[in-house]
Amino acid sequence: FLHWELEFADLFAERGGFDLVIGNPPWIKVKWNEQDVLSDIQPLFAIKDYSAPKVIELRNGLLKESRRAFSIYFSEYTLASGLLNYFNAIPNYPDLQGVQTNFYKCFIPRAWEVGNKSCVVAFVHPDGVYDDSNGSLLRSKMYPKLRRHFHFVNERLLFPEVGHPEVFSLNIYSNKESNTFEAISN
């Protein structure tokens, strides 16, 4: 974690923050995925279509028999739990209450915080923030700052790792609030 206000103390003292923040934040959902962890330890968890009771039985046996498996499993669980607790903590990200935790969503309000009063923020990110049923608080802060919304579908696989159907956009925000924004969609 970077403490922006300490690392760039002179900039914050002189200007109140950054003039411009741009990026493509990671589009990664923060969640505990037991199946992925178990599959890394024992690939049969990914290959076989075990029932839930069978997975529990095999998991418990694996964790009892192998110190290495036990260590990996609980290390991953601790990491995922810690990240979820940090990113879902209201004091850390008050605008994201009730929203599905995804790293890119955390970048948006943080960029506004490290920007000065007239800062411009430009991010490429998925459109989930605009249709999340629990995202009204974030949207209430986002729309007054939104200046441009360029909406795309990954039809030509410009980002092959993202996949074909992913809807994303280039969004330009400003800390100078307004009642209007422009949108372009393909």
Side-chain angles (χ1 to χ4, degrees), residues 77-114:
Y77 178 77
T78 302
L79 176 63
S81 295
L83 285 172
L84 280 168
N85 285 328
Y86 178 81
F87 291 120
N88 288 329
I90 293 171
N92 296 334
Y93 293 95
D95 299 336
L96 301 180
Q97 293 178 47
V99 173
Q100 166 68 48
T101 306
N102 193 312
F103 284 135
Y104 83 86
K105 293 177 185 176
C106 297
F107 275 70
I108 296 169
R110 187 65 181 132
W112 300 331
E113 290 173 10
V114 299

PDB file of all heavy atoms in Angstrom, residues 77-114:
ATOM      1  N   TYR A  77      -6.590 -18.498   2.375  1.00  0.00           N
ATOM      2  CA  TYR A  77      -7.822 -18.068   3.036  1.00  0.00           C
ATOM      3  C   TYR A  77      -7.580 -16.783   3.837  1.00  0.00           C
ATOM      4  O   TYR A  77      -8.367 -15.851   3.791  1.00  0.00           O
ATOM      5  CB  TYR A  77      -8.360 -19.164   3.955  1.00  0.00           C
ATOM      6  CG  TYR A  77      -9.606 -18.739   4.683  1.00  0.00           C
ATOM      7  CD1 TYR A  77     -10.835 -18.715   4.030  1.00  0.00           C
ATOM      8  CD2 TYR A  77      -9.557 -18.312   6.009  1.00  0.00           C
ATOM      9  CE1 TYR A  77     -11.983 -18.284   4.673  1.00  0.00           C
ATOM     10  CE2 TYR A  77     -10.698 -17.890   6.664  1.00  0.00           C
ATOM     11  CZ  TYR A  77     -11.907 -17.884   5.994  1.00  0.00           C
ATOM     12  OH  TYR A  77     -13.033 -17.446   6.640  1.00  0.00           O
ATOM     13  N   THR A  78      -6.465 -16.744   4.548  1.00  0.00           N
ATOM     14  CA  THR A  78      -6.126 -15.564   5.347  1.00  0.00           C
ATOM     15  C   THR A  78      -5.932 -14.346   4.459  1.00  0.00           C
ATOM     16  O   THR A  78      -6.415 -13.255   4.773  1.00  0.00           O
ATOM     17  CB  THR A  78      -4.855 -15.839   6.170  1.00  0.00           C
ATOM     18  OG1 THR A  78      -5.071 -16.979   6.995  1.00  0.00           O
ATOM     19  CG2 THR A  78      -4.488 -14.660   7.038  1.00  0.00           C
ATOM     20  N   LEU A  79      -5.235 -14.533   3.338  1.00  0.00           N
ATOM     21  CA  LEU A  79      -5.015 -13.429   2.411  1.00  0.00           C
ATOM     22  C   LEU A  79      -6.342 -12.911   1.856  1.00  0.00           C
ATOM     23  O   LEU A  79      -6.600 -11.706   1.870  1.00  0.00           O
ATOM     24  CB  LEU A  79      -4.105 -13.872   1.270  1.00  0.00           C
ATOM     25  CG  LEU A  79      -3.858 -12.842   0.167  1.00  0.00           C
ATOM     26  CD1 LEU A  79      -3.139 -11.615   0.719  1.00  0.00           C
ATOM     27  CD2 LEU A  79      -3.061 -13.470  -0.953  1.00  0.00           C
ATOM     28  N   ALA A  80      -7.184 -13.824   1.373  1.00  0.00           N
ATOM     29  CA  ALA A  80      -8.478 -13.412   0.802  1.00  0.00           C
ATOM     30  C   ALA A  80      -9.354 -12.736   1.849  1.00  0.00           C
ATOM     31  O   ALA A  80      -9.977 -11.707   1.576  1.00  0.00           O
ATOM     32  CB  ALA A  80      -9.197 -14.620   0.199  1.00  0.00           C
ATOM     33  N   SER A  81      -9.401 -13.280   3.041  1.00  0.00           N
ATOM     34  CA  SER A  81     -10.215 -12.687   4.114  1.00  0.00           C
ATOM     35  C   SER A  81      -9.717 -11.299   4.489  1.00  0.00           C
ATOM     36  O   SER A  81     -10.508 -10.377   4.679  1.00  0.00           O
ATOM     37  CB  SER A  81     -10.199 -13.581   5.355  1.00  0.00           C
ATOM     38  OG  SER A  81     -10.812 -14.797   5.078  1.00  0.00           O
ATOM     39  N   GLY A  82      -8.405 -11.162   4.589  1.00  0.00           N
ATOM     40  CA  GLY A  82      -7.827  -9.859   4.926  1.00  0.00           C
ATOM     41  C   GLY A  82      -8.136  -8.810   3.867  1.00  0.00           C
ATOM     42  O   GLY A  82      -8.517  -7.684   4.190  1.00  0.00           O
ATOM     43  N   LEU A  83      -7.969  -9.184   2.597  1.00  0.00           N
ATOM     44  CA  LEU A  83      -8.272  -8.246   1.513  1.00  0.00           C
ATOM     45  C   LEU A  83      -9.749  -7.856   1.516  1.00  0.00           C
ATOM     46  O   LEU A  83     -10.083  -6.676   1.391  1.00  0.00           O
ATOM     47  CB  LEU A  83      -7.905  -8.861   0.160  1.00  0.00           C
ATOM     48  CG  LEU A  83      -6.422  -8.927  -0.173  1.00  0.00           C
ATOM     49  CD1 LEU A  83      -6.194  -9.735  -1.445  1.00  0.00           C
ATOM     50  CD2 LEU A  83      -5.833  -7.544  -0.315  1.00  0.00           C
ATOM     51  N   LEU A  84     -10.622  -8.848   1.655  1.00  0.00           N
ATOM     52  CA  LEU A  84     -12.057  -8.551   1.678  1.00  0.00           C
ATOM     53  C   LEU A  84     -12.422  -7.637   2.837  1.00  0.00           C
ATOM     54  O   LEU A  84     -13.192  -6.684   2.669  1.00  0.00           O
ATOM     55  CB  LEU A  84     -12.869  -9.841   1.751  1.00  0.00           C
ATOM     56  CG  LEU A  84     -13.043 -10.562   0.424  1.00  0.00           C
ATOM     57  CD1 LEU A  84     -13.608 -11.957   0.631  1.00  0.00           C
ATOM     58  CD2 LEU A  84     -13.946  -9.764  -0.490  1.00  0.00           C
ATOM     59  N   ASN A  85     -11.873  -7.916   4.006  1.00  0.00           N
ATOM     60  CA  ASN A  85     -12.172  -7.071   5.166  1.00  0.00           C
ATOM     61  C   ASN A  85     -11.663  -5.656   4.977  1.00  0.00           C
ATOM     62  O   ASN A  85     -12.333  -4.687   5.346  1.00  0.00           O
ATOM     63  CB  ASN A  85     -11.598  -7.684   6.440  1.00  0.00           C
ATOM     64  CG  ASN A  85     -12.402  -8.860   6.920  1.00  0.00           C
ATOM     65  OD1 ASN A  85     -13.614  -8.910   6.740  1.00  0.00           O
ATOM     66  ND2 ASN A  85     -11.739  -9.825   7.515  1.00  0.00           N
ATOM     67  N   TYR A  86     -10.469  -5.509   4.383  1.00  0.00           N
ATOM     68  CA  TYR A  86      -9.916  -4.181   4.168  1.00  0.00           C
ATOM     69  C   TYR A  86     -10.752  -3.397   3.146  1.00  0.00           C
ATOM     70  O   TYR A  86     -11.144  -2.265   3.384  1.00  0.00           O
ATOM     71  CB  TYR A  86      -8.459  -4.259   3.698  1.00  0.00           C
ATOM     72  CG  TYR A  86      -7.878  -2.899   3.425  1.00  0.00           C
ATOM     73  CD1 TYR A  86      -7.400  -2.119   4.461  1.00  0.00           C
ATOM     74  CD2 TYR A  86      -7.848  -2.371   2.138  1.00  0.00           C
ATOM     75  CE1 TYR A  86      -6.890  -0.839   4.231  1.00  0.00           C
ATOM     76  CE2 TYR A  86      -7.346  -1.107   1.895  1.00  0.00           C
ATOM     77  CZ  TYR A  86      -6.873  -0.355   2.936  1.00  0.00           C
ATOM     78  OH  TYR A  86      -6.383   0.905   2.709  1.00  0.00           O
ATOM     79  N   PHE A  87     -11.013  -4.014   1.986  1.00  0.00           N
ATOM     80  CA  PHE A  87     -11.714  -3.305   0.917  1.00  0.00           C
ATOM     81  C   PHE A  87     -13.193  -3.099   1.215  1.00  0.00           C
ATOM     82  O   PHE A  87     -13.816  -2.206   0.649  1.00  0.00           O
ATOM     83  CB  PHE A  87     -11.522  -4.012  -0.425  1.00  0.00           C
ATOM     84  CG  PHE A  87     -10.110  -3.901  -0.931  1.00  0.00           C
ATOM     85  CD1 PHE A  87      -9.355  -5.032  -1.152  1.00  0.00           C
ATOM     86  CD2 PHE A  87      -9.543  -2.665  -1.169  1.00  0.00           C
ATOM     87  CE1 PHE A  87      -8.053  -4.930  -1.605  1.00  0.00           C
ATOM     88  CE2 PHE A  87      -8.245  -2.549  -1.619  1.00  0.00           C
ATOM     89  CZ  PHE A  87      -7.486  -3.689  -1.837  1.00  0.00           C
ATOM     90  N   ASN A  88     -13.778  -3.903   2.086  1.00  0.00           N
ATOM     91  CA  ASN A  88     -15.191  -3.741   2.445  1.00  0.00           C
ATOM     92  C   ASN A  88     -15.386  -2.897   3.700  1.00  0.00           C
ATOM     93  O   ASN A  88     -16.527  -2.633   4.084  1.00  0.00           O
ATOM     94  CB  ASN A  88     -15.859  -5.107   2.632  1.00  0.00           C
ATOM     95  CG  ASN A  88     -16.054  -5.825   1.316  1.00  0.00           C
ATOM     96  OD1 ASN A  88     -16.248  -5.211   0.288  1.00  0.00           O
ATOM     97  ND2 ASN A  88     -15.978  -7.141   1.347  1.00  0.00           N
ATOM     98  N   ALA A  89     -14.291  -2.461   4.325  1.00  0.00           N
ATOM     99  CA  ALA A  89     -14.401  -1.642   5.534  1.00  0.00           C
ATOM    100  C   ALA A  89     -14.894  -0.242   5.158  1.00  0.00           C
ATOM    101  O   ALA A  89     -14.298   0.436   4.314  1.00  0.00           O
ATOM    102  CB  ALA A  89     -13.063  -1.559   6.257  1.00  0.00           C
ATOM    103  N   ILE A  90     -15.962   0.186   5.774  1.00  0.00           N
ATOM    104  CA  ILE A  90     -16.572   1.480   5.459  1.00  0.00           C
ATOM    105  C   ILE A  90     -15.589   2.646   5.635  1.00  0.00           C
ATOM    106  O   ILE A  90     -15.562   3.539   4.801  1.00  0.00           O
ATOM    107  CB  ILE A  90     -17.864   1.682   6.282  1.00  0.00           C
ATOM    108  CG1 ILE A  90     -18.910   0.666   5.806  1.00  0.00           C
ATOM    109  CG2 ILE A  90     -18.401   3.100   6.135  1.00  0.00           C
ATOM    110  CD1 ILE A  90     -20.156   0.599   6.658  1.00  0.00           C
ATOM    111  N   PRO A  91     -14.748   2.661   6.686  1.00  0.00           N
ATOM    112  CA  PRO A  91     -13.806   3.789   6.796  1.00  0.00           C
ATOM    113  C   PRO A  91     -12.800   3.855   5.636  1.00  0.00           C
ATOM    114  O   PRO A  91     -12.340   4.927   5.285  1.00  0.00           O
ATOM    115  CB  PRO A  91     -13.076   3.527   8.114  1.00  0.00           C
ATOM    116  CG  PRO A  91     -13.994   2.652   8.893  1.00  0.00           C
ATOM    117  CD  PRO A  91     -14.699   1.812   7.882  1.00  0.00           C
ATOM    118  N   ASN A  92     -12.465   2.697   5.039  1.00  0.00           N
ATOM    119  CA  ASN A  92     -11.487   2.683   3.944  1.00  0.00           C
ATOM    120  C   ASN A  92     -12.107   3.090   2.610  1.00  0.00           C
ATOM    121  O   ASN A  92     -11.490   3.823   1.832  1.00  0.00           O
ATOM    122  CB  ASN A  92     -10.860   1.293   3.805  1.00  0.00           C
ATOM    123  CG  ASN A  92     -10.067   0.913   5.035  1.00  0.00           C
ATOM    124  OD1 ASN A  92      -9.579   1.765   5.757  1.00  0.00           O
ATOM    125  ND2 ASN A  92      -9.951  -0.374   5.279  1.00  0.00           N
ATOM    126  N   TYR A  93     -13.305   2.607   2.325  1.00  0.00           N
ATOM    127  CA  TYR A  93     -13.986   2.891   1.063  1.00  0.00           C
ATOM    128  C   TYR A  93     -15.468   3.136   1.328  1.00  0.00           C
ATOM    129  O   TYR A  93     -16.312   2.308   1.002  1.00  0.00           O
ATOM    130  CB  TYR A  93     -13.792   1.733   0.069  1.00  0.00           C
ATOM    131  CG  TYR A  93     -12.356   1.595  -0.375  1.00  0.00           C
ATOM    132  CD1 TYR A  93     -11.486   0.708   0.252  1.00  0.00           C
ATOM    133  CD2 TYR A  93     -11.868   2.377  -1.407  1.00  0.00           C
ATOM    134  CE1 TYR A  93     -10.170   0.599  -0.138  1.00  0.00           C
ATOM    135  CE2 TYR A  93     -10.551   2.280  -1.813  1.00  0.00           C
ATOM    136  CZ  TYR A  93      -9.708   1.391  -1.174  1.00  0.00           C
ATOM    137  OH  TYR A  93      -8.394   1.291  -1.562  1.00  0.00           O
ATOM    138  N   PRO A  94     -15.817   4.281   1.896  1.00  0.00           N
ATOM    139  CA  PRO A  94     -17.215   4.532   2.265  1.00  0.00           C
ATOM    140  C   PRO A  94     -18.179   4.552   1.073  1.00  0.00           C
ATOM    141  O   PRO A  94     -19.344   4.195   1.225  1.00  0.00           O
ATOM    142  CB  PRO A  94     -17.173   5.892   2.967  1.00  0.00           C
ATOM    143  CG  PRO A  94     -15.905   6.525   2.529  1.00  0.00           C
ATOM    144  CD  PRO A  94     -14.951   5.406   2.235  1.00  0.00           C
ATOM    145  N   ASP A  95     -17.690   4.929  -0.099  1.00  0.00           N
ATOM    146  CA  ASP A  95     -18.567   5.007  -1.273  1.00  0.00           C
ATOM    147  C   ASP A  95     -18.882   3.643  -1.868  1.00  0.00           C
ATOM    148  O   ASP A  95     -19.704   3.539  -2.779  1.00  0.00           O
ATOM    149  CB  ASP A  95     -17.938   5.884  -2.361  1.00  0.00           C
ATOM    150  CG  ASP A  95     -17.716   7.304  -1.898  1.00  0.00           C
ATOM    151  OD1 ASP A  95     -18.424   7.736  -0.973  1.00  0.00           O
ATOM    152  OD2 ASP A  95     -16.832   7.979  -2.458  1.00  0.00           O
ATOM    153  N   LEU A  96     -18.219   2.597  -1.392  1.00  0.00           N
ATOM    154  CA  LEU A  96     -18.393   1.261  -1.971  1.00  0.00           C
ATOM    155  C   LEU A  96     -19.217   0.330  -1.088  1.00  0.00           C
ATOM    156  O   LEU A  96     -19.189  -0.888  -1.279  1.00  0.00           O
ATOM    157  CB  LEU A  96     -17.026   0.631  -2.250  1.00  0.00           C
ATOM    158  CG  LEU A  96     -16.119   1.400  -3.213  1.00  0.00           C
ATOM    159  CD1 LEU A  96     -14.798   0.670  -3.403  1.00  0.00           C
ATOM    160  CD2 LEU A  96     -16.793   1.629  -4.547  1.00  0.00           C
ATOM    161  N   GLN A  97     -19.977   0.876  -0.157  1.00  0.00           N
ATOM    162  CA  GLN A  97     -20.797   0.054   0.736  1.00  0.00           C
ATOM    163  C   GLN A  97     -21.748  -0.826  -0.065  1.00  0.00           C
ATOM    164  O   GLN A  97     -22.490  -0.334  -0.915  1.00  0.00           O
ATOM    165  CB  GLN A  97     -21.623   0.933   1.666  1.00  0.00           C
ATOM    166  CG  GLN A  97     -20.810   1.707   2.661  1.00  0.00           C
ATOM    167  CD  GLN A  97     -21.710   2.580   3.508  1.00  0.00           C
ATOM    168  OE1 GLN A  97     -22.718   2.130   4.001  1.00  0.00           O
ATOM    169  NE2 GLN A  97     -21.337   3.839   3.659  1.00  0.00           N
ATOM    170  N   GLY A  98     -21.708  -2.136   0.191  1.00  0.00           N
ATOM    171  CA  GLY A  98     -22.624  -3.084  -0.431  1.00  0.00           C
ATOM    172  C   GLY A  98     -22.278  -3.482  -1.853  1.00  0.00           C
ATOM    173  O   GLY A  98     -22.934  -4.327  -2.441  1.00  0.00           O
ATOM    174  N   VAL A  99     -21.240  -2.897  -2.436  1.00  0.00           N
ATOM    175  CA  VAL A  99     -20.858  -3.177  -3.815  1.00  0.00           C
ATOM    176  C   VAL A  99     -19.953  -4.410  -3.843  1.00  0.00           C
ATOM    177  O   VAL A  99     -19.134  -4.602  -2.952  1.00  0.00           O
ATOM    178  CB  VAL A  99     -20.117  -1.950  -4.417  1.00  0.00           C
ATOM    179  CG1 VAL A  99     -19.544  -2.243  -5.768  1.00  0.00           C
ATOM    180  CG2 VAL A  99     -21.050  -0.757  -4.483  1.00  0.00           C
ATOM    181  N   GLN A 100     -20.099  -5.244  -4.896  1.00  0.00           N
ATOM    182  CA  GLN A 100     -19.209  -6.395  -5.087  1.00  0.00           C
ATOM    183  C   GLN A 100     -17.775  -5.882  -5.174  1.00  0.00           C
ATOM    184  O   GLN A 100     -17.470  -5.009  -5.975  1.00  0.00           O
ATOM    185  CB  GLN A 100     -19.578  -7.136  -6.378  1.00  0.00           C
ATOM    186  CG  GLN A 100     -18.542  -8.136  -6.859  1.00  0.00           C
ATOM    187  CD  GLN A 100     -18.398  -9.342  -5.962  1.00  0.00           C
ATOM    188  OE1 GLN A 100     -19.371  -9.949  -5.582  1.00  0.00           O
ATOM    189  NE2 GLN A 100     -17.175  -9.684  -5.609  1.00  0.00           N
ATOM    190  N   THR A 101     -16.903  -6.401  -4.329  1.00  0.00           N
ATOM    191  CA  THR A 101     -15.531  -5.913  -4.264  1.00  0.00           C
ATOM    192  C   THR A 101     -14.764  -6.281  -5.530  1.00  0.00           C
ATOM    193  O   THR A 101     -14.667  -7.442  -5.893  1.00  0.00           O
ATOM    194  CB  THR A 101     -14.810  -6.497  -3.035  1.00  0.00           C
ATOM    195  OG1 THR A 101     -15.586  -6.215  -1.872  1.00  0.00           O
ATOM    196  CG2 THR A 101     -13.434  -5.900  -2.876  1.00  0.00           C
ATOM    197  N   ASN A 102     -14.250  -5.268  -6.199  1.00  0.00           N
ATOM    198  CA  ASN A 102     -13.426  -5.431  -7.380  1.00  0.00           C
ATOM    199  C   ASN A 102     -12.382  -4.319  -7.314  1.00  0.00           C
ATOM    200  O   ASN A 102     -12.722  -3.170  -7.036  1.00  0.00           O
ATOM    201  CB  ASN A 102     -14.277  -5.310  -8.648  1.00  0.00           C
ATOM    202  CG  ASN A 102     -13.549  -5.773  -9.878  1.00  0.00           C
ATOM    203  OD1 ASN A 102     -12.404  -5.400 -10.117  1.00  0.00           O
ATOM    204  ND2 ASN A 102     -14.211  -6.596 -10.678  1.00  0.00           N
ATOM    205  N   PHE A 103     -11.123  -4.665  -7.584  1.00  0.00           N
ATOM    206  CA  PHE A 103     -10.058  -3.680  -7.422  1.00  0.00           C
ATOM    207  C   PHE A 103     -10.307  -2.390  -8.189  1.00  0.00           C
ATOM    208  O   PHE A 103     -10.041  -1.306  -7.689  1.00  0.00           O
ATOM    209  CB  PHE A 103      -8.703  -4.270  -7.841  1.00  0.00           C
ATOM    210  CG  PHE A 103      -8.110  -5.203  -6.835  1.00  0.00           C
ATOM    211  CD1 PHE A 103      -7.557  -6.404  -7.237  1.00  0.00           C
ATOM    212  CD2 PHE A 103      -8.083  -4.890  -5.488  1.00  0.00           C
ATOM    213  CE1 PHE A 103      -7.001  -7.274  -6.317  1.00  0.00           C
ATOM    214  CE2 PHE A 103      -7.532  -5.750  -4.562  1.00  0.00           C
ATOM    215  CZ  PHE A 103      -6.985  -6.946  -4.983  1.00  0.00           C
ATOM    216  N   TYR A 104     -10.822  -2.481  -9.414  1.00  0.00           N
ATOM    217  CA  TYR A 104     -10.993  -1.248 -10.192  1.00  0.00           C
ATOM    218  C   TYR A 104     -11.958  -0.288  -9.501  1.00  0.00           C
ATOM    219  O   TYR A 104     -11.794   0.925  -9.589  1.00  0.00           O
ATOM    220  CB  TYR A 104     -11.420  -1.541 -11.631  1.00  0.00           C
ATOM    221  CG  TYR A 104     -12.889  -1.784 -11.845  1.00  0.00           C
ATOM    222  CD1 TYR A 104     -13.770  -0.727 -12.064  1.00  0.00           C
ATOM    223  CD2 TYR A 104     -13.417  -3.071 -11.821  1.00  0.00           C
ATOM    224  CE1 TYR A 104     -15.113  -0.943 -12.261  1.00  0.00           C
ATOM    225  CE2 TYR A 104     -14.762  -3.291 -12.029  1.00  0.00           C
ATOM    226  CZ  TYR A 104     -15.607  -2.234 -12.248  1.00  0.00           C
ATOM    227  OH  TYR A 104     -16.943  -2.459 -12.427  1.00  0.00           O
ATOM    228  N   LYS A 105     -12.959  -0.812  -8.807  1.00  0.00           N
ATOM    229  CA  LYS A 105     -13.920   0.056  -8.114  1.00  0.00           C
ATOM    230  C   LYS A 105     -13.245   0.816  -6.983  1.00  0.00           C
ATOM    231  O   LYS A 105     -13.621   1.948  -6.678  1.00  0.00           O
ATOM    232  CB  LYS A 105     -15.091  -0.757  -7.582  1.00  0.00           C
ATOM    233  CG  LYS A 105     -15.964  -1.339  -8.683  1.00  0.00           C
ATOM    234  CD  LYS A 105     -17.068  -2.200  -8.114  1.00  0.00           C
ATOM    235  CE  LYS A 105     -17.859  -2.872  -9.215  1.00  0.00           C
ATOM    236  NZ  LYS A 105     -18.876  -3.780  -8.687  1.00  0.00           N
ATOM    237  N   CYS A 106     -12.251   0.214  -6.375  1.00  0.00           N
ATOM    238  CA  CYS A 106     -11.525   0.877  -5.288  1.00  0.00           C
ATOM    239  C   CYS A 106     -10.660   2.028  -5.815  1.00  0.00           C
ATOM    240  O   CYS A 106     -10.426   3.003  -5.108  1.00  0.00           O
ATOM    241  CB  CYS A 106     -10.650  -0.126  -4.549  1.00  0.00           C
ATOM    242  SG  CYS A 106     -11.582  -1.449  -3.741  1.00  0.00           S
ATOM    243  N   PHE A 107     -10.194   1.900  -7.059  1.00  0.00           N
ATOM    244  CA  PHE A 107      -9.346   2.939  -7.636  1.00  0.00           C
ATOM    245  C   PHE A 107     -10.103   4.233  -7.894  1.00  0.00           C
ATOM    246  O   PHE A 107      -9.533   5.309  -7.817  1.00  0.00           O
ATOM    247  CB  PHE A 107      -8.738   2.446  -8.963  1.00  0.00           C
ATOM    248  CG  PHE A 107      -7.488   1.643  -8.811  1.00  0.00           C
ATOM    249  CD1 PHE A 107      -7.515   0.367  -8.277  1.00  0.00           C
ATOM    250  CD2 PHE A 107      -6.268   2.161  -9.216  1.00  0.00           C
ATOM    251  CE1 PHE A 107      -6.358  -0.380  -8.151  1.00  0.00           C
ATOM    252  CE2 PHE A 107      -5.106   1.430  -9.088  1.00  0.00           C
ATOM    253  CZ  PHE A 107      -5.154   0.149  -8.548  1.00  0.00           C
ATOM    254  N   ILE A 108     -11.371   4.134  -8.231  1.00  0.00           N
ATOM    255  CA  ILE A 108     -12.126   5.322  -8.654  1.00  0.00           C
ATOM    256  C   ILE A 108     -12.230   6.366  -7.531  1.00  0.00           C
ATOM    257  O   ILE A 108     -11.763   7.499  -7.701  1.00  0.00           O
ATOM    258  CB  ILE A 108     -13.514   4.917  -9.212  1.00  0.00           C
ATOM    259  CG1 ILE A 108     -13.333   4.070 -10.478  1.00  0.00           C
ATOM    260  CG2 ILE A 108     -14.359   6.154  -9.499  1.00  0.00           C
ATOM    261  CD1 ILE A 108     -14.612   3.388 -10.954  1.00  0.00           C
ATOM    262  N   PRO A 109     -12.809   6.037  -6.365  1.00  0.00           N
ATOM    263  CA  PRO A 109     -12.874   7.075  -5.317  1.00  0.00           C
ATOM    264  C   PRO A 109     -11.503   7.465  -4.777  1.00  0.00           C
ATOM    265  O   PRO A 109     -11.298   8.614  -4.365  1.00  0.00           O
ATOM    266  CB  PRO A 109     -13.751   6.442  -4.229  1.00  0.00           C
ATOM    267  CG  PRO A 109     -13.762   4.986  -4.502  1.00  0.00           C
ATOM    268  CD  PRO A 109     -13.500   4.815  -5.961  1.00  0.00           C
ATOM    269  N   ARG A 110     -10.566   6.516  -4.816  1.00  0.00           N
ATOM    270  CA  ARG A 110      -9.220   6.848  -4.325  1.00  0.00           C
ATOM    271  C   ARG A 110      -8.560   7.882  -5.231  1.00  0.00           C
ATOM    272  O   ARG A 110      -7.874   8.789  -4.764  1.00  0.00           O
ATOM    273  CB  ARG A 110      -8.361   5.582  -4.232  1.00  0.00           C
ATOM    274  CG  ARG A 110      -7.038   5.815  -3.573  1.00  0.00           C
ATOM    275  CD  ARG A 110      -7.220   6.201  -2.108  1.00  0.00           C
ATOM    276  NE  ARG A 110      -5.927   6.432  -1.505  1.00  0.00           N
ATOM    277  CZ  ARG A 110      -5.637   7.491  -0.771  1.00  0.00           C
ATOM    278  NH1 ARG A 110      -6.559   8.378  -0.485  1.00  0.00           N
ATOM    279  NH2 ARG A 110      -4.449   7.653  -0.275  1.00  0.00           N
ATOM    280  N   ALA A 111      -8.785   7.774  -6.538  1.00  0.00           N
ATOM    281  CA  ALA A 111      -8.225   8.755  -7.474  1.00  0.00           C
ATOM    282  C   ALA A 111      -8.789  10.143  -7.201  1.00  0.00           C
ATOM    283  O   ALA A 111      -8.072  11.140  -7.269  1.00  0.00           O
ATOM    284  CB  ALA A 111      -8.504   8.333  -8.916  1.00  0.00           C
ATOM    285  N   TRP A 112     -10.094  10.212  -6.906  1.00  0.00           N
ATOM    286  CA  TRP A 112     -10.690  11.510  -6.585  1.00  0.00           C
ATOM    287  C   TRP A 112     -10.062  12.093  -5.322  1.00  0.00           C
ATOM    288  O   TRP A 112      -9.868  13.295  -5.224  1.00  0.00           O
ATOM    289  CB  TRP A 112     -12.194  11.383  -6.387  1.00  0.00           C
ATOM    290  CG  TRP A 112     -12.948  10.875  -7.569  1.00  0.00           C
ATOM    291  CD1 TRP A 112     -12.616  11.020  -8.892  1.00  0.00           C
ATOM    292  CD2 TRP A 112     -14.166  10.137  -7.544  1.00  0.00           C
ATOM    293  NE1 TRP A 112     -13.555  10.418  -9.679  1.00  0.00           N
ATOM    294  CE2 TRP A 112     -14.521   9.871  -8.887  1.00  0.00           C
ATOM    295  CE3 TRP A 112     -14.994   9.682  -6.528  1.00  0.00           C
ATOM    296  CZ2 TRP A 112     -15.663   9.163  -9.231  1.00  0.00           C
ATOM    297  CZ3 TRP A 112     -16.143   8.979  -6.876  1.00  0.00           C
ATOM    298  CH2 TRP A 112     -16.464   8.721  -8.208  1.00  0.00           C
ATOM    299  N   GLU A 113      -9.756  11.234  -4.361  1.00  0.00           N
ATOM    300  CA  GLU A 113      -9.176  11.693  -3.090  1.00  0.00           C
ATOM    301  C   GLU A 113      -7.772  12.252  -3.268  1.00  0.00           C
ATOM    302  O   GLU A 113      -7.408  13.222  -2.606  1.00  0.00           O
ATOM    303  CB  GLU A 113      -9.130  10.550  -2.077  1.00  0.00           C
ATOM    304  CG  GLU A 113     -10.470  10.117  -1.562  1.00  0.00           C
ATOM    305  CD  GLU A 113     -10.393   8.867  -0.697  1.00  0.00           C
ATOM    306  OE1 GLU A 113      -9.265   8.439  -0.335  1.00  0.00           O
ATOM    307  OE2 GLU A 113     -11.446   8.306  -0.389  1.00  0.00           O
ATOM    308  N   VAL A 114      -6.962  11.616  -4.125  1.00  0.00           N
ATOM    309  CA  VAL A 114      -5.576  12.074  -4.281  1.00  0.00           C
ATOM    310  C   VAL A 114      -5.467  13.204  -5.293  1.00  0.00           C
ATOM    311  O   VAL A 114      -4.397  13.788  -5.452  1.00  0.00           O
ATOM    312  CB  VAL A 114      -4.609  10.921  -4.654  1.00  0.00           C
ATOM    313  CG1 VAL A 114      -4.591   9.867  -3.562  1.00  0.00           C
ATOM    314  CG2 VAL A 114      -4.909  10.338  -6.009  1.00  0.00           C
TER     315      VAL A 114
END
